[in-house]
Each structure stands twice: as C-alpha cells, then as structure tokens.
Amino acid sequence: MITYRMADILPLLGLPEPPQYRRDYYVPCPRCDSEQGKHLNIHLEKDVFRCPRCGIQGGVFDLYALYTDIPRDTVLADLRTRTGNSSVPVQHKPMSAPPAETPCADIAMRDAVYRALLAKLSLAPDHQHNLTNRGLSPEAIARNGYRTTPLVGIKALAKQLLAEGHALQGVPGFFRDNDQWSFVPEQRGILIPVRDVQGRIQGLQVRRDNAEKRKFRWVSSASYPDGCRAEGWTHFVGSPREKIILIEGPLKADVVHHLTGHSVLAVPGVNALTHLEKALLALRELGVRHIMTAFDMDFLSNPHVQSGYDALTQKLMSLGFRYGTYLWNPGYNGLDDYVWEGCRQAGYEQSN
C-alpha cells in the first residue's frame, strides 16, 4: 500500500520546504490569508496541518485537496497519476531530521525559571510608553512583570539561571547550543507573562516590534536541540468570581482587568482553544458560573472568527456555564481600546 507523507506532497503543491531542523512551519492559508499572511501550520512529523485563524485542519490528503481544489476522495488517484503509479511515493530531497522534542516541564518548574529570568531583565522606555498608552499604570506594568526581550547575553542568562539551581530542560524558550544552554534569539519586543488561575507563569508571549503579521508569538524553542514548544495556554488575571470576562489575548486581558476591575480569562486566539476546557473546569471548581465573551468586534463580520466563536459557545454550553456577549462601538475593535477611550474621556488617573 502506498503511504504518502507531508514531505512527499509539498513539492507537488508548490509549497516551500521547511527551514532546516524544523518539524513544523507556517505557510499561507488558502482559505483565510491575504498575500502576506502565513497562518497555516504544517507538522511534518505528525503529518497534520491546522490554521488557528480559520480552524481548518486535517491530514496529508486533506492538505492536498485544500491546495488543489479537488475532492478528497480523488486525491489518491491523482497522486498515483502524478507520481507515475509507483508502488512508493516519488522520493524528494530528504530533509534534515529535526532534533527530538523535549516534553514540557511541570508548571512549578516553568514558573520558577520564568520568574528568575524576568528578574534579570528590564523594560525599555519605549515599551514602558507603549504599555502606558494602552491604559496600564506604572504600578500595574511592574506588577504584571513585562520585560523587553533580551537581544544579547542570552547564554550568560542561561548560565546564571543554572548557577542558581534552575533546571532549564523542558522550559519553552530554552535550548542546548552544543554543550551550553541558551535562550531563543527573539525579535525585539515586549515579553508578556501568561499565568494560570493561581498566578503561576505558564509561558511567555512576545509582542514583536514593527511586525505586521503574527505580532504576538509564543516564546518557544521546539525547533532547537533539547528545546520545547509552548502549548497555547490560557491566561487568567484577577480572582475567581461568579461572573468573568473571556477575551482574546493575554495583554488585552491585563488591560481590561486593570481598567475595570473585572476578572478576565484570555485565550491566545479565537480558534486556539486547546487549553481552554482545563482552565474552565478549574474556574468552575472555584465558583465561576457566568462567562461574558468579549472578542474583537470583527467577529461579527469575519466568518473565520465567527466559526471559532460558535465553537467556543458550544463548549461553554456543554460545560454548564451561562454566557453572553459584550458588544460595543465597532470603531474600537478591541474591548481594551474601547474601555481605555472611555476612561480617558472621563479623566481617568493612571495611579494604581
């Protein structure tokens, strides 16, 4: 029986080969991306793909059907024709084997390492200004632990953490460079701690300076030796209450909580709900019963966002939560922008 892998069909679809050592990478999604977008993730080791923006996903034959626009049940016949009806797929240039992926360390270890790392970093004045312009006070900025990504001395940082007794294996962002531990060389931006219900740092996001696409990214070292991937965790700020807000994006959650006092749960994206159920179950145990969604207002007009929203409400219903949706002036896409503008018009003082 012929077995086709992702690596076999990429040249047939005109898709670029992955960077060296990468087990997964991003390409333009034919369903929802513009000319410059790259949201569709292809995982070569697992032979699957997924677009977190529009939610489309599947295996090798599904990807082939997506890019060729032929029915899925005719994909095998088409592949046999294009590969000369051979008993094995056409062999293309072999790709370098990716390094083995390290399992993620437990939350206590990740929290300790990230806290120690952030304590050694600072926040650049332009990033402080950016956060202030979003409505966060200096005290809130300091309390939330934002930092500027380290651009130099990353091996020295890892060495200091090791000397302090921290284990770095299994902590997303750290990897082994020959015999030395190091931290991923991220583009300059703001590091954002992503916390669980208990306030422990699960992972880090970075808001990249001057990025037009994928401005917010997880700090991950999955493609590096002895590295580890970030898992798309949820973020919670505030204390568990009967009613909370559910929003997209940890930084937006921090801003809304600071300006309103409401407790806020954030998912990394409307279609990125992998860890949501675990967080919701934990919050339900703590007395949360009512959830108000507050996704960006483009969910009303963007079908890909709307499909994610529909999946979300189904999950809330299945878990027994009451839910509703906040709507506001669509001139302000995000609830954080809308609330901050209202605060400024009311003469809000950034003092806490």
Side-chain angles (χ1 to χ4, degrees):
M1 179 179 177
I2 300 175
T3 301
Y4 290 94
R5 305 294 303 273
M6 282 295 185
D8 298 312
I9 70 168
L10 295 180
L12 301 178
L13 300 177
L15 292 173
E17 291 190 357
Q20 190 176 25
Y21 298 128
R22 291 295 299 268
R23 57 171 54 81
D24 71 317
Y25 68 117
Y26 288 86
V27 299
C29 176
R31 174 176 287 187
C32 70
D33 272 328
S34 61
E35 190 171 319
Q36 299 299 319
K38 287 186 178 181
H39 286 90
L40 189 138
N41 179 268
I42 298 176
H43 201 297
L44 299 165
E45 221 171 44
K46 298 179 180 178
D47 287 320
V48 296
F49 72 92
R50 182 177 185 275
C51 175
R53 190 181 188 193
C54 67
I56 191 170
Q57 58 187 323
V60 175
F61 284 11
D62 300 295
L63 185 71
Y64 191 89
L66 177 64
Y67 276 88
T68 59
D69 201 29
I70 66 174
R72 189 188 185 284
D73 57 6
T74 67
V75 166
L76 180 57
D78 194 75
L79 280 170
R80 284 172 171 166
T81 299
R82 294 185 67 178
T83 57
N85 291 310
S86 57
S87 59
V88 295
V90 172
Q91 297 298 308
H92 304 291
K93 183 177 72 173
M95 294 179 291
S96 301
E101 187 174 328
T102 302
C104 202
D106 64 43
I107 179 61
M109 183 182 296
R110 299 198 311 272
D111 177 61
V113 169
Y114 287 137
R115 287 179 184 274
L117 171 67
L118 295 174
K120 302 178 189 309
L121 303 178
S122 60
L123 186 66
D126 61 315
H127 289 155
Q128 177 88 24
H129 183 68
N130 177 290
L131 293 167
T132 301
N133 283 345
R134 293 171 180 269
L136 292 167
S137 68
E139 292 78 12
I141 291 170
R143 185 169 56 247
N144 292 341
Y146 309 113
R147 296 291 189 269
T148 295
T149 52
L151 300 180
V152 296
I154 50 180
K155 286 187 178 179
L157 282 170
K159 188 175 182 180
Q160 291 176 43
L161 293 170
L162 289 168
E164 293 171 2
H166 296 287
L168 304 183
Q169 188 153 357
V171 180
F174 291 92
F175 68 99
R176 201 187 300 273
D177 186 359
N178 295 321
D179 292 329
Q180 288 185 290
W181 280 95
S182 187
F183 189 70
V184 289
E186 282 287 352
Q187 179 179 324
R188 188 177 187 274
I190 303 172
L191 286 174
I192 304 163
V194 177
R195 304 174 188 271
D196 69 0
V197 176
Q198 300 176 42
R200 298 175 297 183
I201 303 176
Q202 307 182 84
L204 299 173
Q205 278 196 345
V206 56
R207 181 193 181 277
R208 301 183 297 161
D209 295 351
N210 305 315
E212 294 184 5
K213 299 291 183 179
R214 299 186 66 213
K215 187 178 288 289
F216 289 87
R217 294 184 58 178
W218 286 102
V219 173
S220 176
S221 49
S223 60
Y224 295 86
D226 288 327
C228 179
R229 74 172 55 250
E231 296 184 2
W233 296 284
T234 59
H235 172 67
F236 186 77
V237 57
S239 57
R241 302 173 180 176
E242 192 276 337
K243 180 190 290 187
I244 66 170
I245 296 174
L246 179 60
I247 204 169
E248 178 186 1
L251 183 54
K252 288 184 179 182
D254 288 345
V255 173
V256 171
H257 170 69
H258 175 67
L259 295 175
T260 69
H262 288 295
S263 296
V264 187
L265 176 66
V267 291
V270 177
N271 287 290
L273 308 179
T274 305
H275 286 263
L276 177 61
E277 182 168 341
K278 180 180 179 181
L280 290 174
L281 290 174
L283 288 168
R284 191 174 67 181
E285 289 295 314
L286 295 171
V288 175
R289 297 291 181 268
H290 192 172
I291 295 177
M292 294 297 296
T293 63
F295 291 135
D296 289 354
M297 289 296 286
D298 62 1
F299 92 91
L300 294 173
S301 58
N302 187 326
H304 309 303
V305 178
Q306 181 68 52
S307 65
Y309 175 78
D310 292 342
L312 170 65
T313 55
Q314 288 295 319
K315 183 175 291 291
L316 294 177
M317 188 183 306
S318 69
L319 294 175
F321 289 98
R322 301 193 306 276
Y323 65 90
T325 299
Y326 283 131
L327 300 177
W328 54 90
N329 183 345
Y332 303 93
N333 192 40
L335 180 61
D336 54 331
D337 296 330
Y338 176 70
V339 172
W340 176 224
E341 179 59 26
C343 289
R344 285 189 293 186
Q345 291 182 10
Y348 173 82
E349 295 288 339
Q350 290 178 297
S351 59
N352 51 26

